[in-house]
Amino acid sequence: MKRTLGFAALLLVSACTPTTSPQQHDWPHYKADKASSSYSTLDQINRDNVSGLEVAWEFRTNDGGKGRIECSPIVVDGIIYLTTSALHLVALDAATGEELWRFEPSNHYGGFFANRGVTYWEDGEDKRIYYPAGTRLFAVNATDGTAITAFGENGSISMGDNLSRDIGDKTVSLTTPPVIFEDLLIAGSSVSDNNNTLPNPPGDIRAFNLHTGELAWTFHVIPHPGEFGYDTWPPDAWSTVGAANSWAGMALDEERGIVYAPTSSPAPEHSGGVRPGMNLFGNSILALDARTGERVWHFQVVHHDIWDYDVAAPPNLVTFEHDGVTYDAVAQTTKVGMLFVLDRDTGEPIFDIEERPVPQTTMPDEQTWPTQPFTTEIPPYTKHGFTEADITDINPEATAYVKETYFDKFGPAVIFQPPTTQGMFMMPQFNGGSDWGGAAFDPETGILYINSSEEPEAITMLPAPPDAKHDLPFEASGHDEIYDPEGFPVSKPPWGLLNAIDLTQGDFAWRATLGTYPELEARGFPPTGTFNFGGPIVTKGGLVFIGATRDERFRAFDKATGEVLWEFQLPYAGYATPATYMVDGKQYVVIAAAGGGIPGTESGDVYMAFALE
């Protein structure tokens, strides 16, 4: 391990719970708190003065990385903890952006190179940061940036160890921070779900002792013989099929002692013939006893997924009143663009859900599930399917091109239409709907804010080549991005939205276009929205802050109306969820602006903080 220490190596970090001092307000957890609210009670920056926001400081990571910073920082007692694209852990003075110390993990972490946040823990003078870097989970002294050597192997544990079966030369990594309950670190994992070569690594959810790194409990997301859900798979699936992992982050109800974990699609993701059945607990919301890992309840969002429709964001633990009844609920955003709101104790739907028949496969090696769950009260926040009427109309040439090149080949599509050798539109696309940025919940109003992408992709099932390293007869073409001749989406705008869903009413409060293409603006088009990646936060000051868009802008919306009150042109796109905090009586809003990643815009290495002059 390599570390460098700044002049403030001896600074002490205070409690991880937000202080009540009017001079100090922390953001101590990924997405604000263990309930994953992404909400702040701060109101110094508000709808009346947000137009006066200015850059307070900039921090360049200077780590040699290639962009793709998805980290939402945490702030504890005036120190901000964040990660870089090279997966360094850095502590900054939260008021100035000055680097205090840096921890650099050894370059053997491998796996999926992303980090979305870190976890803080303290007990007296023992103050720690737990953070994932590729295939390892590290424990670092929050005061001076040194490794906690008593944890695991000299300060880290391998996510590939202590699984329910051997994974050979395949890797298991971690992209979102673990949650802490009592003395347990509860973590999911990130594994490849597009690997057609069996066996694949299992998506076990595990808890580790936060002092030693020793395994405390395991929940088998692909059930073993004798476990609940085993009969929803072929008899040997537990030993061959992989993924169904919880990569997106979790929410924790400490009073109930329940952790709520979303899960992904099983692997192979588009070839379900090797895993006929409903496939519990893939694509589910799992409620687990945080002490033991035992299942409390589950709700499956997609049965037998062959579309890569992971449950891709932490759920929000929400309390709201509806029809005169107060509910403690789990609100789960999804790639399929439906919001599932479930009772926190039982998993029963608070707003109605029904199973509807869906199209069935014509592929000889596949067995799709006959129905899928649909919300019937809260409307979908993403378009379902693609018709000729949905073809782009930004100019006649684009309309004609998309019709002749794609629509005449694929034909119309509906959600949950199985892929074929002919090819098809995917709407929502593989990244949703909504993805890992998740939602922000305002406890004052009962409104949940969700950003969504509104442009389709395509998929085709192709005969497996003779040299394939698997026995499947077909394999997916991949997540095929499709555009008009100028590179714009093939559907009509809007291509990105910010949605406000009022849980007290079970309906939209408003919907606003999110993002723009400057080149279309120059031609006189109103904002069209763009594909977006990263999430919102909401504040008592009446604001929703969000980056996320391809136009590389950072915006503040009026949370009551959806009006854009402020925007700032970042140096690179902000594909991360922001955070807000107060130090010495001044409120700041910070976001990683590094571009890159799936949207493919220019990469950088900047964190930017904003405040009122």
Side-chain angles (χ1 to χ4, degrees):
M1 313 300 174
K2 179 183 176 183
R3 60 182 175 86
T4 58
L5 300 181
F7 71 91
L10 299 180
L11 287 176
L12 298 180
V13 181
S14 71
C16 68
T17 54
T19 69
T20 57
S21 166
Q23 297 297 305
Q24 187 83 22
H25 193 289
D26 292 342
W27 186 271
H29 299 282
Y30 179 60
K31 292 178 65 66
D33 49 44
K34 292 184 180 182
S36 192
S37 72
S38 289
Y39 171 77
S40 173
T41 58
L42 291 175
D43 60 2
Q44 183 182 88
I45 303 170
N46 56 61
R47 57 168 60 94
D48 295 326
N49 61 22
V50 66
S51 62
L53 273 187
E54 297 182 357
V55 176
W57 54 258
E58 295 184 21
F59 171 71
R60 291 193 174 269
T61 64
N62 294 320
D63 62 355
K66 299 178 180 179
R68 188 184 180 141
I69 300 176
E70 297 178 352
C71 176
S72 177
I74 66 169
V75 181
V76 181
D77 196 30
I79 298 177
I80 186 168
Y81 301 94
L82 51 83
T83 60
T84 74
S85 57
L87 304 185
H88 299 174
L89 173 65
V90 183
L92 308 178
D93 182 312
T96 66
E98 182 176 2
E99 183 170 329
L100 304 178
W101 55 254
R102 180 180 296 234
F103 176 87
E104 300 180 19
S106 299
N107 293 321
H108 65 271
Y109 37 73
F112 181 52
F113 283 66
N115 170 286
R116 300 193 180 99
V118 304
T119 303
Y120 179 85
W121 174 86
E122 72 166 37
D123 182 14
E125 295 303 307
D126 188 357
K127 307 169 193 295
R128 304 184 180 190
I129 298 292
Y130 294 93
Y131 91 105
T135 60
R136 303 194 74 85
L137 175 62
F138 289 86
V140 178
N141 187 309
T143 301
D144 60 16
T146 58
I148 304 292
T149 56
F151 180 81
E153 181 185 352
N154 294 318
S156 71
I157 58 175
S158 169
M159 299 308 296
D161 293 345
N162 293 306
L163 289 166
S164 54
R165 53 182 156 88
D166 181 67
I167 61 171
D169 61 354
K170 297 181 179 177
T171 61
V172 175
S173 56
L174 187 61
T175 55
T176 49
V179 296
I180 292 179
F181 178 74
E182 296 178 348
D183 61 351
L184 298 176
L185 286 164
I186 304 173
S189 62
S190 183
V191 305
S192 174
D193 55 11
N194 61 6
N195 195 323
N196 293 321
T197 306
L198 300 179
N200 276 314
D204 295 349
I205 297 172
R206 291 167 290 174
F208 304 92
N209 182 283
L210 62 78
H211 300 286
T212 66
E214 294 179 351
L215 182 68
W217 57 253
T218 298
F219 179 83
H220 300 135
V221 181
I222 301 177
H224 288 205
E227 295 178 341
F228 186 97
Y230 172 75
D231 58 356
T232 68
W233 300 82
D236 64 346
W238 68 275
S239 62
T240 59
V241 176
N245 49 299
S246 184
W247 62 265
M250 305 175 188
L252 175 70
D253 186 323
E254 288 192 289
E255 182 177 345
R256 286 175 168 83
I258 298 176
V259 62
Y260 301 89
T263 63
S264 76
S265 56
E269 63 185 352
H270 298 301
S271 299
V274 297
R275 48 177 174 85
M278 185 178 279
N279 297 164
L280 293 178
F281 297 97
N283 304 84
S284 297
I285 307 159
L286 277 165
L288 304 179
D289 185 313
R291 291 185 177 87
T292 66
E294 295 179 357
R295 183 185 68 92
V296 179
W297 56 259
H298 75 276
F299 180 86
Q300 191 172 50
V301 169
V302 179
H303 311 313
H304 187 85
D305 183 16
I306 55 172
W307 303 275
D308 191 25
Y309 280 153
D310 300 354
V311 186
N316 300 78
L317 303 188
V318 299
T319 299
F320 63 94
E321 185 177 301
H322 176 67
D323 287 344
V325 179
T326 299
Y327 294 97
D328 285 346
V330 179
Q332 181 67 66
T333 62
T334 61
K335 285 188 179 182
V336 294
M338 291 186 280
L339 179 68
F340 294 91
V341 185
L342 311 170
D343 183 275
R344 220 179 290 179
D345 292 308
T346 66
E348 291 296 313
I350 291 171
F351 296 98
D352 288 346
I353 300 167
E354 68 178 16
E355 291 283 333
R356 294 179 185 169
V358 292
Q360 295 300 288
T361 188
T362 58
M363 297 294 293
D365 65 322
E366 184 59 83
Q367 299 179 44
T368 42
W369 198 257
T371 63
Q372 295 291 347
F374 286 79
T375 57
T376 60
E377 289 188 80
I378 298 178
Y381 56 85
T382 302
K383 182 181 286 292
H384 284 175
F386 192 87
T387 69
E388 188 169 357
D390 296 317
I391 294 175
T392 179
D393 59 358
I394 63 169
N395 59 59
E397 293 76 21
T399 304
Y401 175 87
V402 172
K403 183 178 185 308
E404 294 168 7
T405 305
Y406 299 115
F407 193 84
D408 289 349
K409 176 184 178 182
F410 296 155
V414 297
I415 191 172
F416 298 124
Q417 180 174 315
T420 68
T421 55
Q422 173 184 318
M424 57 174 269
F425 292 105
M426 280 282 297
M427 186 63 196
Q429 62 157 272
F430 304 96
N431 295 297
S434 54
D435 210 297
W436 53 262
F441 178 67
D442 188 337
E444 293 183 87
T445 63
I447 294 178
L448 196 73
Y449 299 91
I450 312 166
N451 54 304
S452 62
S453 297
E454 300 287 327
E455 57 181 72
E457 291 181 320
I459 186 173
T460 304
M461 299 304 291
L462 304 172
D467 59 350
K469 297 180 181 180
H470 57 78
D471 297 326
L472 304 175
F474 296 92
E475 57 185 42
S477 61
H479 299 177
D480 299 333
E481 297 180 346
I482 49 178
Y483 299 103
D484 78 3
E486 294 185 280
F488 300 118
V490 301
S491 55
K492 288 179 180 176
W495 298 318
L497 291 170
L498 181 61
N499 307 275
I501 297 179
D502 186 346
L503 296 181
T504 70
Q505 302 297 319
D507 203 350
F508 293 113
W510 51 259
R511 309 183 80 190
T513 301
L514 178 61
T516 189
Y517 282 88
E519 55 268 50
L520 291 178
E521 278 188 312
R523 298 183 205 171
F525 282 82
T528 58
T530 76
F531 177 81
N532 47 87
F533 225 55
I537 65 172
V538 61
T539 74
K540 186 178 178 65
L543 302 171
V544 176
F545 287 98
I546 186 168
T549 51
R550 292 176 58 94
D551 57 23
E552 303 177 330
R553 299 180 189 176
F554 188 31
R555 294 177 171 87
F557 289 79
D558 186 317
K559 73 178 185 182
T561 67
E563 178 187 359
V564 176
L565 300 179
W566 172 83
E567 66 178 28
F568 181 87
Q569 188 69 47
L570 297 167
Y572 308 96
Y575 300 137
T577 302
T580 188
Y581 58 93
M582 179 172 281
V583 176
D584 296 331
K586 178 176 283 193
Q587 182 182 355
Y588 298 81
V589 183
V590 62
I591 189 169
I598 288 177
T601 52
E602 186 180 358
S603 295
D605 67 345
V606 183
Y607 279 85
M608 299 192 73
F610 302 85
L612 299 171
E613 185 59 36

